[in-house]
Each structure stands twice: as structure tokens, then as C-alpha cells.
Amino acid sequence: DAKILIYQGVLNQGRGLELLLHSIKKTSENIKLIILGDGTLKPKLKKIVAHLKLEKRIKFIDKVPIEELLNYTSGADVGINLLESINLSKQLASPNKLFEYIHAGIPVLCSKTIENEKIINSYQIGVIVENKSQDIASKINAIIKQNINIYRLECKKACEIYNWEAQEEFILSLVS
């Protein structure tokens, strides 16, 4: 009955991780979170989890080899991509993990950036959130109640555009 959220990547500032932990406290009890990766914030994040008494709902997994990453990601129900607007790069970014979630066939919960909105609005592969605990929690609860298979079908459509073969010529034209 559990629904699994996954965050994969570096555990450092600007990723919305502390905000995510506080948001999980406000979600349905059947929602579990996997945080896969390592980084300077990991000890602090573990302390927050203990303080919030969420040890049964949030699991930390150390960084895994890239060859194994898809196995973890595709087993989740929703991917988490929360960037904080700490600089222009973060305000304009769509991180690799967004595309990794798309290729794993799972919907994504994304913070509101220009590029994230373009992709989400074009393919309906997830939902956009404000980086506020209550909005994140309510959108998590909402996306989990929806038919995930609809998002999975949209992810397949997005994969036809967001892959190396489809993007290669355009990208190479930018650097040549």
C-alpha cells in the first residue's frame, strides 16, 4: 500500500531537501521517501528526520553506481526535483535528474523554474510546486492519488524528444 517517492542526487544546499523532509511530515502516512545519494547535508538531514520522528517513512541509501541507478529509480512512484532559487543557474535549470525520472517512467514533482515548467506543461509528466512546505505536501498527496499510469504514458512521449539521439544534432550545432 506504500507509495514511494525518490530523491536521487547530491545532498547539498539548493536542492530543497530540508524543505522536503518537513513536507513529508504533512503527507499521508502511506507515503515513504527514499533519499539516494551522498553529500555534505546528509548528517544534518538525518538529524532532521530523527527530530521529526520520520525514521519509518524516510530511508537513506548511499550513492550507487550509475549502472544500478535506474533499478532504484524505476521502482519508485514519483521522483522529486526541488531546486531552490539561490542563484540564476538554479532559477533557469532543469537538472539531469528530471530527465532520469522521465526515462525511468515515473512522474516528477518539480519546483517552479522556467525550464521545468516548459517540460511539465508540454508533456504532463508531473506537477509544479512552489517551494513551500504546505504546497509540496498537498501536491505530493494529490499526485499519489492520481492514476500514475497516465504520467507513465506521458513520460514515454517525452522520452522520444529528450534523448541523445533526438537532441544530438541540435546540441552539436551549438558547439561547432
Side-chain angles (χ1 to χ4, degrees):
D1 190 35
K3 298 296 182 182
I4 308 298
L5 309 177
I6 189 167
Y7 168 85
Q8 65 184 44
V10 178
L11 310 181
N12 62 15
Q13 293 295 331
R15 311 287 174 127
L17 295 168
E18 295 172 53
L19 185 59
L20 176 60
L21 299 181
H22 289 281
S23 301
I24 293 296
K25 184 80 173 170
K26 301 173 187 174
T27 63
S28 172
E29 287 290 321
N30 71 325
I31 293 173
K32 313 296 183 199
L33 171 64
I34 294 172
I35 298 177
L36 193 155
D38 290 307
T40 57
L41 270 186
K42 193 170 196 174
K44 183 177 183 180
L45 296 174
K46 286 185 171 186
K47 285 181 183 175
I48 293 170
V49 168
H51 175 75
L52 296 173
K53 299 181 180 4
L54 290 172
E55 297 94 333
K56 292 184 180 182
R57 296 183 58 202
I58 299 175
K59 178 179 176 74
F60 289 87
I61 298 175
D62 292 337
K63 181 176 151 182
V64 298
I66 192 75
E67 300 82 24
E68 295 175 27
L69 186 58
L70 185 60
N71 293 330
Y72 286 89
T73 310
S74 61
D77 295 296
V78 176
I80 303 294
N81 173 23
L82 298 176
L83 288 178
E84 297 175 63
S85 296
I86 59 174
N87 59 38
L88 187 59
S89 173
K90 297 276 193 259
Q91 292 169 20
L92 300 174
S94 275
N96 288 340
K97 72 176 68 18
L98 171 64
F99 302 100
E100 291 167 359
Y101 296 148
I102 292 170
H103 281 268
I106 64 171
V108 63
L109 190 87
C110 288
S111 52
K112 188 175 185 173
T113 70
I114 294 168
E115 292 302 316
N116 282 347
E117 283 189 294
K118 281 182 191 176
I119 295 166
I120 297 288
N121 292 335
S122 296
Y123 294 97
Q124 290 78 48
I125 51 99
V127 295
I128 298 290
V129 298
E130 296 291 334
N131 278 0
K132 297 177 182 162
S133 184
Q134 190 55 50
D135 192 48
I136 294 167
S138 66
K139 298 273 176 69
I140 287 172
N141 284 328
I143 197 170
I144 290 299
K145 290 178 184 174
Q146 294 176 3
N147 183 349
I148 300 292
N149 290 327
I150 293 169
Y151 289 112
R152 291 184 189 275
L153 290 173
E154 288 295 312
C155 285
K156 285 183 183 180
K157 291 179 191 175
C159 284
E160 293 173 14
I161 301 299
Y162 297 110
N163 66 70
W164 175 249
E165 291 76 18
Q167 298 291 316
E168 177 182 21
E169 188 175 318
F170 173 73
I171 293 169
L172 290 175
S173 73
L174 294 174
V175 295
S176 56

